[in-house]
mmCIF file of all heavy atoms in Angstrom:
data_model
loop_
_atom_site.group_PDB
_atom_site.id
_atom_site.type_symbol
_atom_site.label_atom_id
_atom_site.label_comp_id
_atom_site.label_asym_id
_atom_site.label_seq_id
_atom_site.Cartn_x
_atom_site.Cartn_y
_atom_site.Cartn_z
ATOM 1 N N ASP A 4 25.354 -84.341 -14.363
ATOM 2 C CA ASP A 4 26.638 -84.472 -15.069
ATOM 3 C C ASP A 4 27.181 -83.089 -15.359
ATOM 4 O O ASP A 4 26.446 -82.099 -15.335
ATOM 5 C CB ASP A 4 26.501 -85.296 -16.361
ATOM 6 C CG ASP A 4 25.706 -84.576 -17.416
ATOM 7 O OD1 ASP A 4 26.179 -83.547 -17.914
ATOM 8 O OD2 ASP A 4 24.590 -85.029 -17.740
ATOM 9 N N ARG A 5 28.499 -83.057 -15.580
ATOM 10 C CA ARG A 5 29.169 -81.774 -15.808
ATOM 11 C C ARG A 5 29.422 -81.480 -17.277
ATOM 12 O O ARG A 5 30.241 -80.618 -17.607
ATOM 13 C CB ARG A 5 30.508 -81.761 -15.054
ATOM 14 C CG ARG A 5 30.389 -81.246 -13.649
ATOM 15 C CD ARG A 5 31.741 -81.058 -12.998
ATOM 16 N NE ARG A 5 31.664 -81.424 -11.600
ATOM 17 C CZ ARG A 5 31.010 -80.713 -10.690
ATOM 18 N NH1 ARG A 5 30.437 -79.574 -11.011
ATOM 19 N NH2 ARG A 5 30.952 -81.135 -9.451
ATOM 20 N N THR A 6 28.727 -82.175 -18.170
ATOM 21 C CA THR A 6 28.883 -81.837 -19.586
ATOM 22 C C THR A 6 28.284 -80.447 -19.837
ATOM 23 O O THR A 6 27.374 -80.012 -19.122
ATOM 24 C CB THR A 6 28.171 -82.870 -20.490
ATOM 25 O OG1 THR A 6 26.798 -82.916 -20.118
ATOM 26 C CG2 THR A 6 28.804 -84.247 -20.337
ATOM 27 N N ILE A 13 14.592 -67.047 -22.146
ATOM 28 C CA ILE A 13 13.455 -66.566 -22.944
ATOM 29 C C ILE A 13 13.150 -65.094 -22.702
ATOM 30 O O ILE A 13 12.257 -64.543 -23.332
ATOM 31 C CB ILE A 13 12.190 -67.429 -22.746
ATOM 32 C CG1 ILE A 13 11.735 -67.411 -21.287
ATOM 33 C CG2 ILE A 13 12.422 -68.829 -23.264
ATOM 34 C CD1 ILE A 13 10.303 -67.889 -21.119
ATOM 35 N N GLY A 43 10.431 -56.240 -10.133
ATOM 36 C CA GLY A 43 10.405 -54.785 -10.023
ATOM 37 C C GLY A 43 10.742 -54.266 -8.641
ATOM 38 O O GLY A 43 10.509 -53.080 -8.335
ATOM 39 N N ALA A 74 12.104 -60.769 -4.319
ATOM 40 C CA ALA A 74 12.239 -60.769 -2.858
ATOM 41 C C ALA A 74 10.924 -60.268 -2.266
ATOM 42 O O ALA A 74 10.404 -59.237 -2.715
ATOM 43 C CB ALA A 74 13.391 -59.873 -2.424
ATOM 44 N N ALA A 82 4.354 -72.176 -5.801
ATOM 45 C CA ALA A 82 3.693 -71.786 -7.057
ATOM 46 C C ALA A 82 4.581 -72.099 -8.262
ATOM 47 O O ALA A 82 4.092 -72.589 -9.291
ATOM 48 C CB ALA A 82 3.344 -70.301 -7.025
ATOM 49 N N ILE A 91 14.696 -74.368 -9.361
ATOM 50 C CA ILE A 91 14.307 -73.032 -8.903
ATOM 51 C C ILE A 91 15.524 -72.421 -8.237
ATOM 52 O O ILE A 91 16.075 -72.983 -7.276
ATOM 53 C CB ILE A 91 13.127 -73.092 -7.911
ATOM 54 C CG1 ILE A 91 11.885 -73.705 -8.580
ATOM 55 C CG2 ILE A 91 12.812 -71.695 -7.360
ATOM 56 C CD1 ILE A 91 10.694 -73.908 -7.639
ATOM 57 N N GLY A 116 18.684 -73.974 -6.646
ATOM 58 C CA GLY A 116 19.819 -73.185 -7.108
ATOM 59 C C GLY A 116 19.981 -71.943 -6.255
ATOM 60 O O GLY A 116 19.001 -71.398 -5.724
ATOM 61 N N GLU A 126 32.294 -66.714 -0.912
ATOM 62 C CA GLU A 126 32.174 -67.206 0.467
ATOM 63 C C GLU A 126 30.759 -67.044 1.029
ATOM 64 O O GLU A 126 30.388 -67.726 1.985
ATOM 65 C CB GLU A 126 33.172 -66.475 1.371
ATOM 66 C CG GLU A 126 34.635 -66.842 1.128
ATOM 67 C CD GLU A 126 35.196 -66.338 -0.207
ATOM 68 O OE1 GLU A 126 34.645 -65.371 -0.794
ATOM 69 O OE2 GLU A 126 36.179 -66.938 -0.684
ATOM 70 N N TYR A 213 18.873 -69.573 -34.410
ATOM 71 C CA TYR A 213 19.036 -70.010 -33.023
ATOM 72 C C TYR A 213 20.038 -71.162 -32.957
ATOM 73 O O TYR A 213 20.890 -71.214 -32.065
ATOM 74 C CB TYR A 213 17.702 -70.477 -32.409
ATOM 75 C CG TYR A 213 16.583 -69.476 -32.362
ATOM 76 C CD1 TYR A 213 15.267 -69.896 -32.179
ATOM 77 C CD2 TYR A 213 16.816 -68.107 -32.485
ATOM 78 C CE1 TYR A 213 14.212 -68.999 -32.117
ATOM 79 C CE2 TYR A 213 15.761 -67.202 -32.428
ATOM 80 C CZ TYR A 213 14.468 -67.651 -32.245
ATOM 81 O OH TYR A 213 13.421 -66.756 -32.197
ATOM 82 N N THR A 215 22.397 -71.904 -35.162
ATOM 83 C CA THR A 215 23.735 -71.396 -35.483
ATOM 84 C C THR A 215 24.344 -70.704 -34.271
ATOM 85 O O THR A 215 25.521 -70.895 -33.940
ATOM 86 C CB THR A 215 23.638 -70.385 -36.651
ATOM 87 O OG1 THR A 215 22.934 -71.012 -37.719
ATOM 88 C CG2 THR A 215 25.010 -69.937 -37.118
ATOM 89 N N ARG A 221 28.504 -73.006 -28.061
ATOM 90 C CA ARG A 221 29.001 -74.321 -27.616
ATOM 91 C C ARG A 221 30.425 -74.565 -28.133
ATOM 92 O O ARG A 221 31.311 -74.976 -27.379
ATOM 93 C CB ARG A 221 28.061 -75.427 -28.112
ATOM 94 C CG ARG A 221 28.269 -76.777 -27.408
ATOM 95 C CD ARG A 221 27.435 -77.871 -28.049
ATOM 96 N NE ARG A 221 26.007 -77.649 -28.059
ATOM 97 C CZ ARG A 221 25.202 -77.854 -27.004
ATOM 98 N NH1 ARG A 221 25.704 -78.296 -25.877
ATOM 99 N NH2 ARG A 221 23.912 -77.631 -27.101
#
Side-chain angles (χ1 to χ4, degrees):
D4 69 67
R5 271 188 217 290
T6 57
I13 61 163
I91 299 175
E126 290 70 22
Y213 301 162
T215 307
R221 195 187 301 281

